[in-house]
Amino acid sequence: MNMRKTFLLSVIGMLLFSACQKYKDEKPVEKPIEDQQPDDRLGCITGKITIFNTGGTTDAYVQLLASKNGGAIYSKRLGTNGDYTIDNVSEGVYYFKVYKKNFVDTLFHETIRILPKAQNGGDCRSMDWAISKLPPHLYVVGVNTENVIHVLDFGESDERCYFQLYNNSETTYSWSTDFDEVRQTKRWLGSMNKVTGSLKPNETESISITIDRSGLEIGENTAKFLIDSDKGGGWELTISATCLRDHWGW
């Protein structure tokens, strides 16, 4: 009787071991998810958007579209200074759009192609764009602002100031100034880092001007010069600087 029990227990044990081994052998092997592309197979786009005269970049978005009238495939809200980056973009040709409710709904004038990082040296596609509702013209605007300016104020202590030239038209502007001529009579004017140049459509360029405060007279000092272009419509800019005391500190 005991031998029969032992025999039955042995058979049951062998059957259980065989079933466990079979389950182990047939357990499915986890496969990698094929549709998860590695980063180097995807692209990205980065840059800065400047919006003039339309309330700035607050609550504005950059969008990538497959067609002019299609919905946004990718969308990114602009940072406070207009910077943006859209990551993990599939390779392709897109329409580039800047959107701000009740202000801007503008497509870039041509499509853009985004390549995988592996084909672009590991970098993102760069795309800067300036947008305005101002009439086509060559404008003088403050640096990092949307405001046109007519006076460059050095105040009581500054010796260098900056402004930007902005071409919001669809044609290239060649520009020049009479700054060097004005400097012959206004000896306290220093230098202008660039007095001629050209601006492509929707392009901006930063310009700096210096003054020599030792040449200022007590009170407010002003000088006016003209920024002109080959399309006409010159822009007069006034330089203002204040001196509260003479060179001996009186």
Side-chain angles (χ1 to χ4, degrees), residues 125-232:
R125 160 94 190 232
S126 180
M127 179 72 176
D128 297 337
W129 193 16
I131 298 175
S132 174
K133 286 187 175 180
L134 296 168
H137 197 66
L138 182 67
Y139 289 90
V140 176
V141 297
V143 177
N144 295 326
T145 75
E146 60 192 56
N147 303 319
V148 297
I149 61 173
H150 295 274
V151 177
L152 196 63
D153 189 3
F154 283 74
E156 300 173 6
S157 59
D158 291 340
E159 296 183 351
R160 182 186 298 271
C161 282
Y162 297 85
F163 64 90
Q164 285 186 314
L165 289 179
Y166 168 50
N167 173 17
N168 78 328
S169 74
E170 295 183 356
T171 59
T172 298
Y173 273 71
S174 295
W175 61 272
S176 60
T177 77
D178 61 352
F179 180 86
D180 288 337
E181 289 82 353
V182 174
R183 190 173 58 175
Q184 300 304 313
T185 56
K186 300 288 185 177
R187 300 288 184 176
W188 51 272
L189 289 176
S191 62
M192 185 171 175
N193 69 324
K194 194 170 184 180
V195 294
T196 62
S198 63
L199 284 173
K200 296 178 181 179
N202 292 309
E203 189 175 59
T204 60
E205 181 165 10
S206 294
I207 306 294
S208 68
I209 291 179
T210 63
I211 64 172
D212 177 10
R213 301 198 73 91
S214 66
L216 295 174
E217 297 179 357
I218 297 177
E220 183 180 11
N221 297 255
T222 60
K224 296 182 179 182
F225 71 98
L226 184 68
I227 300 173
D228 204 358
S229 78
D230 58 343
K231 307 295 189 299

